[in-house]
Amino acid sequence: MLESSGIKYSDNGQTLAFETILKNHGMNTARIRIWTAGTYNLNYGLALAKRIKAAGMTLIVDLHYSDTWADPAHQSIPSGWPTDLAGLNTKIWTYTKDLVTSFSSQGTPIDILQVGNEINDGLLWPVGKISTNGFSPASQLLNSAINGAKAAASPKIMIHIANGWNWSGVSWFFNGIYIQGALASTAVDIIGVSFYPFYDSGATLANLKTSLTNAANTYGKPIVVAETDWPVSCSGGPSLTEPSIPISAAGQQTWVGDVRTVLQGLPGGKGQGILYWEPGWIGNANLGSGCS
């Protein structure tokens, strides 16, 4: 979207495709968000997927199941979708199947499919809101989505929640979301978590290490820090959880290196990778944090 506004990316003075710059500097995976409508729709995702695959990178598709941003505070049912559980189970199965088919049909099969974005309190609210209706509707909806994907292809499945540093929240979610007759643990291949240094004072590297170590030992699945970042500038705050790390490009390197160290130290080699959110977004001051 930034390229369409005239922004170009360069490396050592040479203008290059953004994905080429990433690949040349060692990144091997890209994650595309897909909304059910609007800016980040299916056509947007399909076009980016061609570029990602041409660069030889692993393709993750992040399904928000919403017409706009989905996160811990927003999980709105897309316009025109059913508003009852039975109807939503059918719709999410069909939608996911058709979407996965679209990526495969153009020669860019999805490697990892993320079903839902930061779904700590469920998805497709209010029907799938855990704090309102318990775990069962959300578990059913995730199961239907995954079954739809598997009817079309064989992507690995990632479940993504926010606040990966908070073991209490991580364990509450994963201990509740697996329900007999709905979502089974065996249907999920990867645990993805967000880890930001400015939303909560508890989001420290030490807490991340404790939480992800517990998750690796308890659930036995590969773990990805699916979203993280560190600012190069902040105006008037916020307070960051690791004050010894400078707010600068050098600080970004330190932060990512420290997160990598946590993942590399997880038991059984379960730490799988880091996805930075978002390296190509120019002019992102105040995008959720008051920093850029």
Side-chain angles (χ1 to χ4, degrees), residues 60-120:
I60 301 178
V61 171
D62 167 15
L63 299 183
H64 282 230
Y65 294 117
S66 185
D67 291 341
T68 185
W69 299 105
D71 56 41
H74 309 88
Q75 298 283 343
S76 298
I77 293 174
S79 59
W81 280 37
T83 56
D84 63 289
L85 181 57
L88 284 172
N89 271 313
T90 299
K91 182 64 177 181
I92 201 171
W93 186 95
T94 303
Y95 169 81
T96 308
K97 177 181 179 294
D98 291 347
L99 182 142
V100 171
T101 298
S102 294
F103 279 88
S104 296
S105 295
Q106 72 164 12
T108 59
I110 299 169
D111 297 301
I112 299 171
L113 183 68
Q114 180 186 312
V115 286
N117 192 76
E118 295 186 329
I119 56 170
N120 300 57

Side-chain angles (χ1 to χ4, degrees), residues 9 16 31 107 168 171 176-177 189 214 228 231 245 247:
Y9 300 92
L16 295 169
R31 175 173 170 257
S168 176
S171 59
I177 202 66
D189 300 297
N214 289 341
T228 192
I245 300 177
I247 299 173

Side-chain angles (χ1 to χ4, degrees), residues 147-165:
N147 285 341
K150 295 297 186 178
S154 302
K156 291 186 176 180
I157 301 297
M158 179 161 69
I159 298 289
H160 172 227
I161 62 173
N163 300 328
W165 56 270

Side-chain angles (χ1 to χ4, degrees), residues 197-220:
F198 35 67
Y199 291 128
D200 194 291
S201 61
T204 63
L205 291 160
N207 283 342
L208 182 72
K209 180 179 179 179
T210 297
S211 178
L212 297 191
T213 298
N214 289 341
N217 284 328
T218 303
Y219 307 115

Side-chain angles (χ1 to χ4, degrees), residues 35-268:
W35 295 353
T36 43
T39 305
Y40 305 110
N41 60 19
L42 176 59
N43 289 334
Y44 163 87
L46 291 171
L48 270 186
K50 290 180 179 179
R51 294 173 56 173
I52 290 165
K53 289 286 189 172
M57 303 175 80
T58 296
L59 172 63
I60 301 178
V61 171
D62 167 15
L63 299 183
H64 282 230
Y65 294 117
S66 185
D67 291 341
T68 185
W69 299 105
D71 56 41
H74 309 88
Q75 298 283 343
S76 298
I77 293 174
S79 59
W81 280 37
T83 56
D84 63 289
L85 181 57
L88 284 172
N89 271 313
T90 299
K91 182 64 177 181
I92 201 171
W93 186 95
T94 303
Y95 169 81
T96 308
K97 177 181 179 294
D98 291 347
L99 182 142
V100 171
T101 298
S102 294
F103 279 88
S104 296
S105 295
Q106 72 164 12
T108 59
I110 299 169
D111 297 301
I112 299 171
L113 183 68
Q114 180 186 312
V115 286
N117 192 76
E118 295 186 329
I119 56 170
N120 300 57
D121 197 18
L123 68 166
L124 298 172
W125 292 353
V127 176
K129 190 169 188 177
I130 296 170
S131 59
T132 301
N133 295 319
F135 279 100
S136 182
S139 183
Q140 291 179 51
L141 291 165
L142 290 171
N143 185 55
S144 294
I146 293 168
N147 285 341
K150 295 297 186 178
S154 302
K156 291 186 176 180
I157 301 297
M158 179 161 69
I159 298 289
H160 172 227
I161 62 173
N163 300 328
W165 56 270
N166 183 348
W167 171 238
S168 176
V170 171
S171 59
W172 176 82
F173 178 86
F174 283 103
N175 289 345
I177 202 66
Y178 299 130
I179 296 175
Q180 186 173 1
L183 181 65
S185 173
T186 52
V188 178
D189 300 297
I190 302 165
I191 291 174
V193 301
S194 296
F195 177 54
Y196 290 110
F198 35 67
Y199 291 128
D200 194 291
S201 61
T204 63
L205 291 160
N207 283 342
L208 182 72
K209 180 179 179 179
T210 297
S211 178
L212 297 191
T213 298
N214 289 341
N217 284 328
T218 303
Y219 307 115
K221 296 184 184 296
I223 296 172
V224 170
V225 174
E227 293 183 21
T228 192
D229 64 24
W230 186 266
V232 294
S233 66
C234 288
S235 56
S239 177
L240 301 176
T241 57
E242 298 291 346
S244 65
I245 300 177
I247 299 173
S248 64
Q252 290 177 323
Q253 290 181 301
T254 299
W255 173 259
V256 173
D258 288 347
V259 175
R260 180 183 60 203
T261 296
V262 169
L263 289 168
Q264 288 175 332
L266 294 184

